[in-house]
Amino acid sequence: MSGARKPSGRSSAKEAATRKRGRSLAALGYIQPRNYEELRAVLSSGTVHFPKRLRQVAIFLWQHPSEVALGTIAQVAAQAGVQPSTLVRFAQIFGYSGFSDFQGLFKDHVKGSWPEGRGEPRAEAEPNAALHFLHGMVGASQASLGRIESGFDVESFEKMVGTLAQADLIYVIGSKRAFPVTTYLSLTLSQQGVRNVLVDNVGSSALDQVGCIGRQDAVLAVSFSPYNSITPDLVAVAHERKARIVTITDSTFSPLIRLSDSWLEVVESDFAGFRSLAASLAVGMALVQGVAARRGT
């Protein structure tokens, strides 16, 4: 009878988890990110493919670094719509022992920066719930606009203006939460004398509405996570027909990125589950003004 001891169930499980984590890192081919910027570079590389829940975490981390830095694991998990264990698993993929170590990247990133409006309840008592909600939405809008001022991609913006200004016809595409933005952009383009088509999908006719798009036309698409609308399908049709495509979206994980000639990242803050559209409208209006000025209309 052998005197060798069999590993306990607990140690075996720990070793299996370690091996699994090592395989994940090897598969990704990345070393442990040393700061938030390195993490963003990995996530935006397009070479990392996450399963559904981990992708959901990645999108939330990309869009809300301040919330990740300042929240507990339970709070961050609730906001991201996942279990705390999913956050731990995500951190371990990148070589961290747990979420608290991984969170240090975000804490260092926001340290010393001006705090963004996080949708926290105001310290003073509000006269009523409606006014409290109004203050929260104003704060979310201010935070969204503040991000645009601090990190606007001027080069991509100018490229988008040029693409739209040269188009024979602009197709404006967006659905669900993006639809109010595209509706207003279409209206203001028309008011500036710029020919455009609002793809509104009335009567489930969206695919017919983009059926005549050609290589001399352009698409202005707006799409926000969770990216489960018809918009990627419509943009794919335009891409197949060689139309030029410009996009406003909220993360590098958007399925529109690979189809777009140029794109702008616009991240909207939320309050009590409701997202602002202030930054998206501001960027959209700037695009319209730029196109009108370039065309001399």
Side-chain angles (χ1 to χ4, degrees):
M1 183 174 178
S2 173
R5 295 180 58 189
K6 294 183 178 180
S8 67
R10 179 178 298 179
S11 61
S12 297
K14 185 175 182 179
E15 290 173 4
T18 301
R19 288 195 300 271
K20 182 178 179 181
R21 184 162 66 250
R23 288 196 300 271
S24 297
L25 287 169
L28 289 173
Y30 295 109
I31 61 173
Q32 185 183 83
R34 293 167 297 181
N35 52 53
Y36 174 74
E37 286 70 28
E38 287 187 4
L39 176 64
R40 275 183 66 101
V42 171
L43 295 178
S44 63
S45 66
T47 59
V48 184
H49 302 286
F50 296 109
K52 180 179 179 181
R53 288 302 181 191
L54 294 182
R55 177 182 172 85
Q56 190 172 329
V57 170
I59 293 173
F60 183 81
L61 299 185
W62 179 280
Q63 295 177 348
H64 305 285
S66 296
E67 283 82 349
V68 177
L70 301 174
T72 65
I73 186 171
Q75 290 170 336
V76 174
Q79 290 174 312
V82 298
Q83 294 296 320
S85 60
T86 306
L87 295 180
V88 174
R89 186 153 56 100
F90 190 93
Q92 290 175 341
I93 284 178
F94 289 94
Y96 287 87
S97 60
F99 178 73
S100 59
D101 292 338
F102 181 66
Q103 192 179 32
L105 298 180
F106 297 85
K107 290 181 177 179
D108 291 341
H109 173 67
V110 302
K111 189 180 298 181
S113 64
W114 188 258
E116 298 178 354
R118 299 178 59 226
E120 298 287 351
R122 294 167 62 94
E124 65 272 17
E126 301 288 3
N128 56 59
L131 189 57
H132 171 71
F133 182 83
L134 173 62
H135 285 147
M137 287 305 301
V138 169
S141 298
Q142 290 171 335
S144 302
L145 293 167
R147 276 194 205 94
I148 295 299
E149 287 190 332
S150 64
F152 191 66
D153 189 341
V154 177
E155 183 177 349
S156 291
F157 176 82
E158 294 292 344
K159 187 177 179 181
M160 290 170 69
V161 169
T163 297
L164 295 174
Q166 294 169 11
D168 287 348
L169 186 63
I170 299 172
Y171 289 77
V172 188
I173 302 176
S175 57
K176 295 188 176 180
R177 186 165 64 90
F179 188 66
V181 179
T182 54
T183 301
Y184 192 48
L185 295 186
S186 175
L187 172 63
T188 52
L189 283 168
S190 297
Q191 290 174 337
Q192 296 297 319
V194 179
R195 296 175 62 244
N196 71 93
V197 174
L198 174 64
V199 181
D200 55 17
N201 199 29
V202 172
S204 300
S205 61
L207 289 172
D208 297 311
Q209 289 177 307
V210 299
C212 295
I213 195 169
R215 62 177 63 239
Q216 301 303 316
D217 301 323
V219 168
L220 171 54
V222 183
S223 179
F224 305 119
S225 60
Y227 316 121
N228 58 359
S229 68
I230 194 176
T231 301
D233 295 333
L234 298 175
V235 174
V237 171
H239 184 263
E240 290 173 0
R241 293 175 173 271
K242 310 300 182 184
R244 302 295 300 276
I245 299 164
V246 302
T247 295
I248 297 173
T249 192
D250 57 1
S251 85
T252 190
F253 296 96
S254 170
L256 299 188
I257 300 301
R258 62 182 178 82
L259 302 171
S260 301
D261 296 285
S262 52
W263 65 285
L264 281 170
E265 179 182 284
V266 178
V267 179
E268 300 281 8
S269 295
D270 69 274
F271 179 79
F274 292 86
R275 286 193 182 275
S276 164
L277 290 175
S280 302
L281 287 167
V283 170
M285 290 301 96
L287 280 175
V288 171
Q289 191 278 333
V291 170
R294 192 75 62 92
R295 289 190 173 199
T297 56

